[in-house]
Every structure is written in C-alpha cells, then in structure tokens.
Amino acid sequence: MAAANGSSDLYSEMEVDAFRRLFPLRYHEQHLLKSVRPDARKLGNARDTTLALGAVASADGSALAKIGSTTMLAAIKMEVMTPTVECPDEGSIAIEFHMPPICSPLVRPGRPAEAASLISKQLSDAIFSSGMIDLKELCLIGGKAAWMAYLDIYCLDADGSLFDAALLSAVAAFSHLNIPVVSLNEDGRIVLVSEDNVQLKLEKQPVNTEKRKLKLNSPPFSLTCLLHKNYILADPTAEEESIMETAVTVVLDSSYQLVSLYKPGGPVHAHTSVIQDCVALAKRRVKELQSVLNEAISDMEVE
C-alpha cells in the first residue's frame, strides 16, 4: 500500500511539473488566485537575503550578496589617478557589471549579455544620483592626485532581480572598503604604502597616514516588482520574469527618498496607485536590507 501511495505521489509531482513547463502562465496564475507564489512566498515578500563582506581578499573592498539563488560578487580596487581639469578636487568611480556564462544558460560564451550594459548604467545612475559617495573624499592632492575606484560586479547566479542584488552588493562593497595608505616619494609622486613597509611612511611625507573607511551618505537600495493583471509580485525569480514581462524597479535611499524609478516597457500600464503600492513595498524592503547590511558590518567587526 505504501509503495502504491509513493508511486501515486511521484506521478502527481510529474504531472505538476509537466503542467508547469507546458503552461507556465496558467500554473502561476493558479497560485496568484490564492495570493501565494510557487515558492510559498506571499506576493509582496522578498526572498531570503544574505551578505558576506570581505569575500575577495585581494580587493580593497568586497561583498558577496545573495537574494534567494541570485548571487552577486562585488569587488573594488583603488588606483591613484590625475583628476580632471573640470573637477580637480574630486576622485572618480568606474562601475562594470559582468554576466559570465556560468550565471545562466541563457548567456552564451563569447557574447556579452544584453542586460549587462543596461544594469551597469542603472547602477551608475543609482549610486551617483543618491549622493551616497562624496567624490571630494576621494581627493588626495587637489589638481594632482585622486582615487579612482574600480567597482566590478560579477553575477554568479542569475535567478531574477539582478539589479536589486547587484546594487546591494555594490553598497556592501563600499561599506567594506578600506582606502589604502599612500605617501609622496622622493620624486613627488603618490605611491602606495604596503603593510610590509608601513614604517617607510614615517620617513616620507604622508598623504593619508592610515587606512580609512569611506563615509557613505544615505546609501540606495532597490526593489523590483512584476505587474500582472491586478497583482504585484515583489522580488521576482527568473522564471516569473520570463512569464510576466512588466517590471517596475524602485530605488530609494536609506531615508526613503525616491532616487529613481525604472519601467522598461511591458503590456501592463502602471497607474499612480500601482506605483504607490510598489514604493510602499520598496520602503519595507529598504528596512530589511538595512538590517541585513548592518548585521554583516557587525559580523565583520567582531571577526
């Protein structure tokens, strides 16, 4: 009898899986009628989120962010540059988002993913528009030397809400960033002072005498929502994104001020009330992400 029941359960699972593959929209709509997702989440709930700071030992700042299965690795490398004539007392930040073939079967080797350049631009817009980083803090010697921060974000698993996870990893990496020690050499050039020869900085003119953290002002966080009929689904998976094509991404700073809002087309019209609902969900999500970030920072300090 037990064997018969086991075979029946297996057959039922195979039927459900076949129905999900053949009629994905109908499968998801059946769940929406019950206000629940296939992964048992409520419509407005995001997936479990984790952060690990210092994931890349060779980087000046790094973080590994996971939202559900979506995984991002962010690393920052600092280099000294000559500031521009237009902004002689400011440093600069270069942001690049990468989608290697390992992250998704949809990404082919040798061909850059179309989403990568778009997400790179969205990340730059969000970070600069939020005012999170005062570029003047990256200045070393006015008109002569400043820091260039190279931020590279690698998508290791693309299971939906890529921008949200990428932005979280970027903010976390900047939170972990330690700006290196530099000094002037005999030729008057800025040089890095390694930990092995840290005493040498006492013999030369110091520019910054010790590693320091970068002050972050109201860091931005985001939430992507899918719109389908009268439903709003927060933090969609890749499967949900492939079925329900209308997305809205809300970016808020830590003071809950709107930084930006993206709606890249889609068949569903986003009325004012829908946008307000998305913003309300984003505010709740910002609280969650701030808590995750603060916990990761505390864990790093304990270590």
Side-chain angles (χ1 to χ4, degrees):
M1 234 5 223
N5 288 337
S7 298
S8 177
D9 291 342
L10 179 60
Y11 184 70
S12 297
E13 288 180 10
M14 291 175 64
E15 280 189 325
V16 170
D17 187 56
F19 180 74
R20 183 174 189 167
R21 291 173 180 273
L22 293 172
F23 308 102
L25 183 57
R26 285 175 57 189
Y27 173 82
H28 281 267
E29 286 180 337
Q30 286 184 355
H31 285 80
L32 293 179
L33 291 172
K34 301 174 184 177
S35 296
V36 71
R37 320 265 278 273
D39 58 9
R41 279 186 292 154
K42 294 182 179 179
L43 303 190
N45 287 4
R47 293 167 290 177
D48 291 340
T49 303
T50 59
L51 266 179
L53 304 185
V56 182
S58 59
D60 296 308
S62 62
L64 181 71
K66 293 190 70 175
I67 299 179
S69 295
T70 299
T71 307
M72 298 288 170
L73 179 64
I76 301 172
K77 199 66 181 173
M78 304 294 287
E79 291 187 6
V80 177
M81 68 163 195
T82 301
T84 62
V85 176
E86 295 79 7
C87 303
D89 58 347
E90 292 184 0
S92 187
I93 300 171
I95 301 171
E96 195 72 33
F97 180 76
H98 309 269
M99 291 186 70
I102 191 176
C103 75
S104 169
L106 300 178
V107 179
R108 298 181 181 180
R111 296 180 61 183
E114 294 181 6
S117 59
L118 175 61
I119 293 177
S120 291
K121 185 178 185 307
Q122 288 179 332
L123 288 168
S124 295
D125 291 344
I127 289 173
F128 288 116
S129 298
S130 68
M132 176 179 75
I133 298 172
D134 182 0
L135 295 179
K136 293 183 185 298
E137 278 205 40
L138 298 177
C139 180
L140 289 168
I141 301 175
K144 294 184 178 180
W147 286 113
M148 164 67 85
Y150 291 97
L151 169 62
D152 287 285
I153 301 173
Y154 294 87
C155 179
L156 305 183
D157 193 334
D159 189 25
S161 301
L162 301 188
F163 174 75
D164 299 348
L167 182 59
L168 176 61
S169 70
V171 171
F174 276 114
S175 298
H176 175 253
L177 175 63
N178 285 300
I179 297 180
V181 179
V182 293
S183 65
L184 288 172
N185 67 8
E186 296 173 353
D187 298 327
R189 295 182 179 181
I190 297 287
V191 293
L192 292 175
V193 179
S194 66
E195 293 181 1
D196 296 333
N197 62 354
V198 68
Q199 292 299 325
L200 292 179
K201 69 181 180 182
L202 300 176
E203 302 171 9
K204 302 172 183 178
Q205 182 180 347
V207 177
N208 59 319
T209 57
E210 59 183 11
K211 287 186 176 182
R212 63 181 177 90
K213 291 287 188 180
L214 191 64
K215 181 182 177 182
L216 302 184
N217 305 303
S218 296
F221 301 95
S222 65
L223 177 68
T224 297
C225 297
L226 281 183
L227 309 181
H228 182 69
K229 296 183 177 178
N230 296 322
Y231 301 104
I232 300 176
L233 290 75
D235 179 28
T237 63
E239 182 183 9
E240 290 170 334
E241 288 179 341
S242 68
I243 298 166
M244 296 167 269
E245 298 176 352
T246 304
V248 172
T249 299
V250 180
V251 183
L252 304 176
D253 65 20
S254 56
S255 301
Y256 310 115
Q257 298 299 309
L258 182 65
V259 175
S260 60
L261 188 147
Y262 302 102
K263 183 185 179 295
V268 179
H269 295 290
H271 300 290
T272 302
S273 60
V274 173
I275 295 299
Q276 289 174 339
D277 289 341
C278 291
V279 171
L281 289 172
K283 287 182 178 179
R284 190 178 73 185
R285 181 60 171 159
V286 167
K287 290 182 181 179
E288 296 173 357
L289 295 177
Q290 282 181 307
S291 177
V292 170
L293 177 59
N294 291 336
E295 184 177 344
I297 293 173
S298 298
D299 291 344
M300 193 69 187
E301 290 174 349
V302 169
E303 294 176 4

